Amino acid sequence: MTINIAENTLPLKLDLACGQTKKDGFIGVDRSSKTDINLDILKFPWPWADNSVDEIYCSHFIEHIPMEYVEHNGREKDLFEAFFDECFRVLKPEGTMSVIVPCARNNRAFQDPTHRRFIVAETFAYLNREWRESNKLEHCHGDCNFASNVVPTTYQEMTLLHPEAQARRFNESWNV
């Protein structure tokens, strides 16, 4: 099934894995019947056409993606990579995606026993084609081509530090 929204002039904004807390202005997508669209987002392809979604929001989900390989677009891929490839497929060329995760350098990443992956800022580099090619990884790690801008959420007192001091603390300390 493909959802064709060509005649709809409103932006299509999806909140993937929204649970019961859908972001305002977004269509909630989850495998719960209490959301707008009941869909297992780890099963591909999704019902949206290529280049049809304006914005994707995904909060506290990707750290739960199981570590397994799946068939996606004729290739076997890590489920994490297949998920982002599918996001890239449905997003319009100028579309945006916001992802919120607990940083692997924080106890919050480990406190939930259902977390299967530990994400650091550098993880998102693997979602960029040019970075994969320059690091000789084009044979793996998916097909998507996201540009990333990682913005850490921190305690107020961290914002008072010089950017170099902030960066050093993010890379060398836990729970900042």
Side-chain angles (χ1 to χ4, degrees):
M1 169 177 84
T2 299
I3 298 173
N4 186 352
I5 57 139
E7 296 178 17
N8 186 352
T9 58
L10 293 175
L12 179 56
K13 298 161 64 169
L14 304 176
D15 183 345
L16 299 179
C18 65
Q20 297 177 12
T21 56
K22 175 180 70 169
K23 186 173 176 66
D24 287 341
F26 285 69
I27 296 171
V29 182
D30 207 326
R31 58 183 184 183
S32 165
S33 60
K34 297 180 181 181
T35 60
D36 298 320
I37 297 176
N38 182 344
L39 180 72
D40 183 349
I41 60 174
L42 294 178
K43 303 286 186 218
F44 313 110
W46 294 339
W48 297 281
D50 294 1
N51 306 317
S52 63
V53 176
D54 295 277
E55 187 174 352
I56 294 175
Y57 178 79
C58 186
S59 179
H60 293 281
F61 171 72
I62 67 169
E63 64 271 19
H64 296 273
I65 296 176
M67 298 235 188
E68 60 186 60
Y69 282 83
V70 296
E71 182 76 19
H72 186 260
N73 290 341
R75 284 181 37 209
E76 187 175 57
K77 298 178 185 176
D78 184 282
L79 190 53
F80 181 89
E81 296 158 352
F83 172 79
F84 279 100
D85 281 356
E86 194 67 6
C87 291
F88 192 76
R89 179 188 71 78
V90 301
L91 273 173
K92 291 180 178 178
E94 298 300 317
T96 60
M97 180 174 186
S98 299
V99 178
I100 299 173
V101 297
C103 180
R105 291 185 182 96
N106 191 292
N107 289 350
R108 290 192 64 202
F110 295 92
Q111 75 184 26
D112 185 339
T114 66
H115 287 180
R116 299 293 177 249
R117 297 172 183 270
F118 303 98
I119 312 296
V120 293
E122 294 80 5
T123 302
F124 295 99
Y126 287 83
L127 305 177
N128 178 268
R129 183 177 300 123
E130 184 179 332
W131 186 89
R132 290 190 307 268
E133 289 172 357
S134 69
N135 285 280
K136 309 288 188 236
L137 298 171
E138 62 270 18
H139 62 285
C140 61
H141 298 297
D143 300 311
C144 64
N145 191 24
F146 285 101
S148 64
N149 178 21
V150 178
V151 180
T153 303
T154 65
Y155 299 110
Q156 180 67 29
E157 57 268 17
M158 281 290 289
T159 63
L160 301 175
L161 297 175
H162 186 276
E164 288 178 15
Q166 286 181 23
R168 188 171 44 255
R169 188 155 307 168
F170 288 140
N171 287 326
E172 296 172 357
S173 301
W174 281 74
N175 295 315
V176 290

